[in-house]
Amino acid sequence: SGEKLHDLKRKKLDTDLYCLTAEEYSLGRSNIEVVKAMLNAGIKIIQYREKEKKMLHKYRECVKIRELTWDAGATFIVNDHIDLAMMVEADGVHIGQDDLPIEKVRELVGGKMIIGVSTHSPLQAQDAIDKGADYIGVGPIFSTRTKKDVCDPVGFEYLDYAVKNVNIPFVTIGGIKEHNIAEIKARGAKMIAMVTEIVGSENIEKKIESIRRKLSGVYTR
Ligand code: TZP
Ligand code: MG
């Protein structure tokens, strides 16, 4: 039933740390190696985000990551490519403001697949929710070099809005590092995404452990 489907999707989104791939910042390691390290450290959501590679290469990586995430009981989300997400039976697809309309994506992927949408303002958040997004991205909080076509940082104002008003899961993203994660968490963010802080660290497992230690024991509203 609709209710059960909703609960299942919510369960798949219930985690503190959301990790994304970015091979160009991974210190020479492959996306597969990096994903293995993330899963070893207990990460429960991984998004495949890869802007530059050929589709066939992306497909092959996603097949492998799908196997690894299934084995680890982790949620797998594919950025940008609806066809690729469907082909590899990903749990979800993540789209941006300039991608295909959310309601059209829903027609394609059906009710079971998670749809995540990047948003940068309250208006975009409301629109995404109205159109059936299962979760939204809130950011970039701080400036970041990772997203090239990125808009200016939204700062804490939009995050505070989201904590108060967004009634679907949301993931806070953009320039978040181990040193500022407590600040983000204390403002009420439940799910936090980091790209370069994790893929660019020498020891990914240790980095995740250390971040997790900081996350636990932080007061949240
Ligand atoms: N969406 C908003 S900011 C961003 C994405 C994908 C990149 C965040 O990268 P980093 O390295 O965690 O700042
Ligand atoms: Mg996109």
Side-chain angles (χ1 to χ4, degrees), residues 51 79-80 94-96 99:
K51 299 289 178 186
N79 187 273
D80 285 338
H94 189 98
I95 57 176
D99 290 319

Side-chain angles (χ1 to χ4, degrees), residues 20 47 49 79 118 120 139-147 150 173-177 193-197:
L20 295 85
Q47 181 188 127
R49 184 170 182 276
N79 187 273
S118 294
H120 318 292
I141 302 301
F142 305 113
S143 68
T144 173
R145 293 179 306 127
T146 312
K147 194 167 174 168
V150 85
I173 189 166
I176 303 179
K177 309 276 174 195
M194 280 178 266
V195 184
T196 44
E197 182 71 344

Side-chain angles (χ1 to χ4, degrees), residues 7-9 31 51 57 69 88 97 114-115 145 165 181 205 209 211:
D7 289 347
L8 193 71
K9 289 200 279 188
N31 280 331
K51 299 289 178 186
H57 194 131
T69 47
V88 302
Q97 290 295 316
I114 292 165
I115 299 179
R145 293 179 306 127
N165 303 293
I181 197 165
E205 281 101 329
E209 253 176 55
I211 289 167

Side-chain angles (χ1 to χ4, degrees), residues 33-201:
E33 271 179 88
V34 165
V35 165
K36 281 182 183 166
M38 289 167 172
L39 294 172
N40 269 338
I43 290 299
K44 288 296 172 203
I45 301 186
I46 293 188
Q47 181 188 127
Y48 180 80
R49 184 170 182 276
E50 197 51 69
K51 299 289 178 186
E52 311 296 335
K53 291 181 180 178
K54 300 258 197 303
M55 275 308 280
L56 181 60
H57 194 131
K58 294 189 196 189
Y59 169 74
R60 287 182 177 144
E61 287 191 324
C62 282
V63 167
K64 187 71 197 156
I65 296 170
R66 177 68 286 191
E67 278 174 22
L68 294 168
T69 47
W70 261 330
D71 287 348
T75 301
F76 180 40
I77 311 263
V78 175
N79 187 273
D80 285 338
H81 305 294
I82 293 125
D83 48 2
L84 184 51
M86 293 171 81
M87 253 177 233
V88 302
E89 295 178 65
D91 298 290
V93 63
H94 189 98
I95 57 176
Q97 290 295 316
D98 298 327
D99 290 319
L100 294 169
I102 301 164
E103 64 276 24
K104 291 291 166 189
V105 174
R106 179 63 74 197
E107 275 177 35
L108 281 176
V109 303
K112 269 192 246 174
M113 198 178 277
I114 292 165
I115 299 179
V117 181
S118 294
T119 67
H120 318 292
S121 70
L123 207 66
Q124 290 177 353
Q126 202 45 61
D127 183 63
I129 295 166
D130 290 346
K131 289 175 177 156
D134 294 295
Y135 78 92
I136 58 172
V138 168
I141 302 301
F142 305 113
S143 68
T144 173
R145 293 179 306 127
T146 312
K147 194 167 174 168
K148 296 190 170 74
D149 54 339
V150 85
C151 64
D152 289 340
V154 298
F156 288 138
E157 202 183 325
Y158 177 36
L159 173 57
D160 292 345
Y161 169 89
V163 168
K164 254 190 160 167
N165 303 293
V166 169
N167 54 7
I168 65 169
F170 67 89
V171 58
T172 306
I173 189 166
I176 303 179
K177 309 276 174 195
E178 188 175 353
H179 69 80
N180 60 26
I181 197 165
E183 193 181 4
I184 301 292
K185 186 82 182 176
R187 293 191 99 90
K190 289 202 168 63
M191 184 159 59
I192 295 171
M194 280 178 266
V195 184
T196 44
E197 182 71 344
I198 290 175
V199 302
S201 64

